[in-house]
Amino acid sequence: MFIDYLIESIKKKKSPVVVGLDPRLELIPDCVKKKYYDKYGKTFKAASEAILEFNKVIIDNVYDIVPAVKPQIAFYEQYGIEGLDAYIKTCKYASSKGLLIIGDVKRGDIGSTSKAYSSAYIGKSDIEGEKLEAFPADAVTVNPYLGDDCLKEFIEDVEKYSKGIFVLVKTSNPSSSQIQNLMSGDKKIYEIVALMVDGWSSNYVGEYGYSSIGAVVGATYPEEAKMLRKLMPNSYFLVPGYGAQGGTAEDVVNSFNDDGLGAVVNSSRAILYAYKREKDELVENYGAAARKEAMKMRDAINKTLEKHGKKYW
Amino acid sequence: MFIDYLIESIKKKKSPVVVGLDPRLELIPDCVKKKYYDKYGKTFKAASEAILEFNKVIIDNVYDIVPAVKPQIAFYEQYGIEGLDAYIKTCKYASSKGLLIIGDVKRGDIGSTSKAYSSAYIGKSDIEGEKLEAFPADAVTVNPYLGDDCLKEFIEDVEKYSKGIFVLVKTSNPSSSQIQNLMSGDKKIYEIVALMVDGWSSNYVGEYGYSSIGAVVGATYPEEAKMLRKLMPNSYFLVPGYGAQGGTAEDVVNSFNDDGLGAVVNSSRAILYAYKREKDELVENYGAAARKEAMKMRDAINKTLEKHGKKYW
């Protein structure tokens, strides 16, 4: 079951850190990009090759200190089919290094269309009885705006293929409050979504008491996280917004339960492009800079968890 | 401006019908699929080639009687990169026949990620100053759950590249009410989203009084459509759910304004796979069956509009 693999990896690596693989071409070192521009010109092919090389170096530098990576598919889709080729190869490479893959795809549609999305990302697609995998991932993020006939297609594949989903509950961006924080009766919309997630999650609880149906809860809203932790006791939280978006170790501690489990915290930019802040370091050592930053983040979160009596190791 | 191109095409072709290009492999005739299975085996490549051939025949049969097609990208993503290759080629072929493309992608994410999605689908991606197109479309559907810092990235490209967006307001599926119909104060969530759409739309109004910022309003909820028509007077509605999902010509009439404009109505399954209901017709004539069905739908809608005094031609 996805959630058990995740928790075992967190415990083994002593780290609830997820590295967000969000390739921003303008931030990838020239020493990586130049040879591909020389070879392929300023094309999607060159972008794709540069991204893949960059991602592999990051993965090589973090695979032993984090349980999972979270590629944000938008950053691959913008380079078309070639970009998605880099997405697939990145996921496969990360898997081969023992990392779990959380595909940040935020899909969601009406029933039969959601089924196609689920087949694409966590299930299999059927071609005359042949079951084939389109895009590899162990879990994906899902948008709840269309309600549960959208979600149930993903949940079927969670069950069938031992995968996971993280439903958007309270996102990390500034305008997330516009809809998610509206009051309906005595509850906010995100609380109502949380109760829906809690309802679905109870059937997919693994041996550590957590479910493969999780929730996205932004690091930038620690008070909301405290309340949501109570509403979804069995759901693992995927917590974006740490680092570049402003979330700190103290901000994310509310997303963890007293057992020190219950959340993984994602950072993308602050880890991937840490080399930009290392003035004394060679650009070529961007992988080492990312490792250092991921360790710093892990240590900060573990220390804060310990301080709050939430030790999981 | 996208919305003007759309309205001109509607008037010229006397048709507010959009054909949803949702390829379901199991419904595509064997005479199309078999040769590709023979050549490529039961693979994504075979699926992709079969879908492209099928789509081209449909396009050849409808391009003169409908203003736009709406490929649902989930049905292509499920066949991986090869499936997306069919998506791109389908869009390009439809464009070459004078059809507008509404990419049904339902994307939406935090600001910088939404920018990547927008670049992928209606904008351009930047590779060292080269501006390249990843996936072709004239307009796309967008999910509002993350609020307006998500939407504004798309709106920038609407302006820059003369494109359009349709924001999900009230979707056609059975469980759409779970979140969209919740009351907040004296309004439902979909009404609040509608007022947001109306706010954004006013800056992008073209010469017919309609905006390139439109809304998705399901045919299956005619009473809601009536109310939404008033809340978003300038927004074009993309109305899914006609035909296979149960929506009729009488159901969609509320989505139109008194000038007979204001909505395009999508049908996917009922048109694409019309050949399945034509017992006396050869399977090979699936394109002709689709044409017949699209004309029937056009005529039913036009007749109903005329009955309600909403003539646009």
Side-chain angles (χ1 to χ4, degrees), chain A residues 227-278:
Chain A
M227 145 81 81
L228 290 170
R229 190 62 281 174
K230 285 179 195 147
L231 292 182
M232 297 178 282
N234 298 322
S235 286
Y236 235 78
F237 288 8
L238 170 61
V239 182
Y242 188 99
Q245 287 183 58
T248 66
E250 280 293 341
D251 289 333
V252 302
V253 80
N254 289 348
S255 288
F256 291 82
N257 276 319
D258 289 342
D259 60 2
L261 296 171
V264 282
V265 184
N266 181 79
S267 173
S268 305
R269 276 167 283 180
I271 293 177
L272 298 187
Y273 313 112
Y275 81 91
K276 292 232 161 219
R277 294 188 304 275
E278 300 272 339

Side-chain angles (χ1 to χ4, degrees), chain B:
Chain B
M1 188 177 262
F2 165 74
I3 199 63
D4 293 336
Y5 308 147
L6 180 63
I7 292 170
E8 279 151 23
S9 191
I10 290 167
K11 284 170 172 274
K12 186 177 139 205
K13 293 175 180 173
K14 292 195 178 57
S15 174
V17 170
V18 172
V19 176
L21 294 174
D22 301 4
R24 294 165 197 264
L25 210 48
E26 68 279 13
L27 297 179
I28 291 179
D30 288 335
C31 60
V32 176
K33 294 183 287 195
K34 190 177 175 306
K35 58 182 171 293
Y36 297 113
Y37 291 143
D38 288 348
K39 191 166 176 189
Y40 300 113
K42 294 172 183 174
T43 60
F44 287 157
K45 175 70 176 162
S48 168
E49 293 288 340
I51 285 168
L52 183 60
E53 177 179 322
F54 178 79
N55 284 348
K56 281 183 169 178
V57 170
I58 299 293
I59 290 165
D60 287 341
N61 277 279
V62 301
Y63 75 88
D64 58 326
I65 55 167
V66 303
V69 289
K70 181 177 78 64
Q72 167 51 261
I73 201 167
F75 290 103
Y76 301 83
E77 284 180 75
Q78 68 179 332
Y79 303 120
I81 281 179
E82 291 86 348
L84 286 163
D85 188 50
Y87 177 87
I88 292 175
K89 288 174 177 158
T90 295
C91 292
K92 288 187 173 167
Y93 188 74
S95 278
S96 79
K97 293 285 184 174
L99 289 164
L100 290 164
I101 314 296
I102 302 170
D104 197 354
V105 303
K106 294 191 179 64
R107 300 301 195 256
D109 211 298
I110 69 167
S112 60
T113 307
S114 262
K115 187 177 172 53
Y117 275 134
S118 184
S119 298
Y121 292 101
I122 56 171
K124 305 247 187 208
S125 297
D126 186 303
I127 306 209
E128 303 289 314
E130 288 289 320
K131 305 282 187 190
L132 303 176
E133 180 186 86
F135 297 98
D138 298 291
V140 289
T141 54
V142 180
N143 187 309
Y145 189 67
L146 281 82
D148 67 14
D149 59 30
C150 153
L151 274 297
K152 80 174 199 303
E153 302 292 344
F154 284 92
I155 292 174
E156 256 177 39
D157 285 334
V158 163
E159 181 153 8
K160 199 162 168 185
Y161 298 103
S162 288
K163 303 279 179 149
I165 56 171
F166 294 94
V167 180
L168 303 187
V169 172
K170 175 64 188 164
T171 58
S172 60
N173 57 315
S175 74
S176 74
S177 302
Q178 285 181 318
I179 294 174
Q180 297 163 27
N181 283 41
L182 290 172
M183 290 298 296
S184 183
D186 59 346
K187 291 190 181 60
K188 290 186 172 149
I189 296 300
Y190 67 75
E191 295 172 81
I192 294 169
V193 176
L195 291 170
M196 289 165 67
V197 170
D198 188 56
W200 299 317
S201 74
S202 55
N203 288 329
Y204 306 95
V205 173
E207 54 180 297
Y208 301 95
Y210 287 98
S211 172
S212 290
I213 313 293
V216 173
V217 177
T220 40
Y221 298 103
E223 282 312 307
E224 281 88 338
K226 197 172 185 173
M227 145 81 81
L228 289 169
R229 190 63 278 174
K230 285 181 195 146
L231 291 181
M232 297 178 282
N234 299 322
S235 286
Y236 235 79
F237 288 8
L238 170 62
V239 182
Y242 189 99
Q245 287 182 58
T248 65
E250 280 293 341
D251 289 333
V252 301
V253 81
N254 290 347
S255 288
F256 290 81
N257 276 319
D258 289 343
D259 60 3
L261 297 172
V264 280
V265 184
N266 181 79
S267 172
S268 305
R269 275 167 284 180
I271 293 176
L272 298 187
Y273 312 113
Y275 80 92
K276 292 231 161 219
R277 294 189 305 276
E278 301 272 337
K279 296 297 171 209
D280 304 330
E281 194 65 83
L282 289 171
V283 168
E284 287 73 7
N285 295 335
Y286 65 92
R291 179 178 181 83
K292 211 164 117 184
E293 186 68 26
M295 292 179 89
K296 204 172 104 186
M297 178 175 163
R298 176 198 65 184
D299 294 343
I301 293 174
N302 284 348
K303 204 174 140 188
T304 311
L305 286 175
E306 192 167 13
K307 187 179 123 192
H308 288 266
K310 296 186 174 184
K311 217 172 143 179
Y312 62 89
W313 60 92

